[in-house]
Amino acid sequence: MFGSASGAESGAAHELDDIDEERAALVQPSVWLELSQLMMASRLENGGQFENVINTGQGFPDWPSPEFVRQAAADIFLDAANAPRTSVYSPTRGITPFLSALCAEYGPRIKQKLDPQRNVCVTVGASQAIQLCMQAFLNRGDEVVLIEPFFDLYRAAAMLSHATIRSVALQLRSPPASAQRQSNACDFVLDMAAFESCFNENTRVLVLNSPHNPTGKMFSRDEYSAIMRVLRKFPKVTVVSDEVYEHITFDDHEHVPFASISEEAFARTVSIYSAGKTFSCTGWKVGWLIAPPALISRAALIQQWIVFSVCTPLQAALANIISRAREPYEGHENYYAWLKAEYTRKRDIQVRMLAGASLRPVVPMGAFFVMADTARVESSMELHTLPPRVAELEKQGLVTIDASTRARRDYNLVRRLILEYGVSAVPPSAFYAEANHEQGANLLRFSFCRSDGALLEAGQRLQKLFE
C-alpha cells in the first residue's frame, strides 16, 4: 500500500546530488525566509505579549489598493461581454491596450517615441523581469557588476545564469559640519575609480537601481553621466535599470530614468518597472521592460520558455489604471502627487520614530525604506553570537538559518528585535557580497509602507532598547 512506510523504510530512498559549489548559496535560507519564520515563532512564543510582530522589515504596503485600482480590476473580471478576450493567454509581450498605455506613459519620460509592439515586454512582476534579463543577456562565465548594498535577488538571478559577480559598495559619508542636518541618502556616494575597476572584457551586465533599495538614494543626472562615461569604454555591457520606486520620491529630488540621459544610454538599457509598489498591489505581480527593439526581442524570446505570458485581465485593468492615475486624486493634481505626499508623511513619521529610539536614521530621497545606524545598541546586548532562544527554535526546526549569518551583528539584532521587542527590520549585510558584509553591520533597514498606527507602535517598542 502506497504511503504505508517512509521512503527509507520501504527501500525506496531517493538521493539528491549536492548542488555545485558555484551556486551553493542558492540553497541556503534567504533572509526573507528566516524573518517570516521568526515572526511566526514570536507570535507562538510570546503567548500574547505582542498581539503581532510589527513588520517594518519587508517592503509591501499593508493597506488596500486605491479604490479606482480595485474597481478597474473588478470591471474587467465582471465584464462578461469581453470575457473571451480577457480570459485567454495574452501574447508573450503583452496585450496591445496595455502596451500602448505604457508607451504613452513612458515615452515622454524616457524621451523616446516608443512602439507598443517593439519596445515593451510585460513580465510577472519586477522580480521575474530581473531574472529574465539575466537569462537573456548573460552566458556562462560572463560578469555582472552590482552596486552594494543591492537587492539580494540580483545576486541570485546572476548566479542562476552562471555569471561571475563583481561589486562596488556605496560609501556612507558623514554630512559636512556646515550642513547642520541629519544623514541623508545623498551621503551614499559611488567611488567612480572603484566602480570602473569592476569592469573588464568579460563584463556584460550592469545593474542600476534608483530610487535605491535599501538606502533610499536617488542617482542624479550628473552621477548617471559619470557612469555613462565609464560604459563608453565597454560597449558590450547592457544596463539593467530597476526603477520600480519611480513614483516614491521626496522633497525636490527628481527620479531620472537612466535611459533618458542620452541616446547612447537608451540604446543599451533595459528599464524595469512594476505596478506593485506604485499602486499598492504587490500580489498582482505585473511588471514590464522598456528597451530598444533588439533587447526586447531577446527578452521576449526567453520569456516564451519561462512563463509564456502574464495575467491577461490584470493587464487589461492596468491599461485603464495607468490612464486614471493622471487624473485629479484626493485633492492632488493626480494619483502620483498624492502618493508622493502620503509617503513623505510616512517617511517623516518613521524618521522621527527611529530618532526617538536613539537610532540614527539616514533620511531617504526615495523608495519606502530608512537605513538606521544602530551603533549605540552595542553596549546593551550581545550581538555577535546567535541568541539562545533563536538557537532553540532552530533546533526545534521552527527557524532555518544561513550558517554564515550566525555571528553577524545586524542579523542578531534583528533576531532579538523580533523575539524580544515585537518589531521586524532587515539586516543590510544580506545586501552585500560576502567579502563586504561588515559594511552593513551597524545598519538596519526599516520600511515605512505601514499604517501610521503600526509605525508609531513600532517606535514605542524600539524605545525600550535603551530603557
Side-chain angles (χ1 to χ4, degrees), residues 214-235:
T215 67
K217 175 183 174 62
M218 293 177 63
F219 285 87
S220 68
R221 193 169 295 276
D222 286 345
E223 287 174 307
Y224 274 165
S225 294
I227 288 173
M228 192 63 230
R229 285 194 290 273
V230 173
L231 291 176
R232 288 192 188 105
K233 304 174 185 179
F234 302 95

Side-chain angles (χ1 to χ4, degrees), residues 14 64 94 125-127 140 154 168 173 198 212 238 255 313 319 327 397 409:
H14 173 62
S127 295
R140 184 183 292 271
Y154 303 156
V168 57
R173 297 181 179 173
C198 293
H212 186 256
T238 298
H255 167 61
E327 298 176 2
R409 182 187 183 280

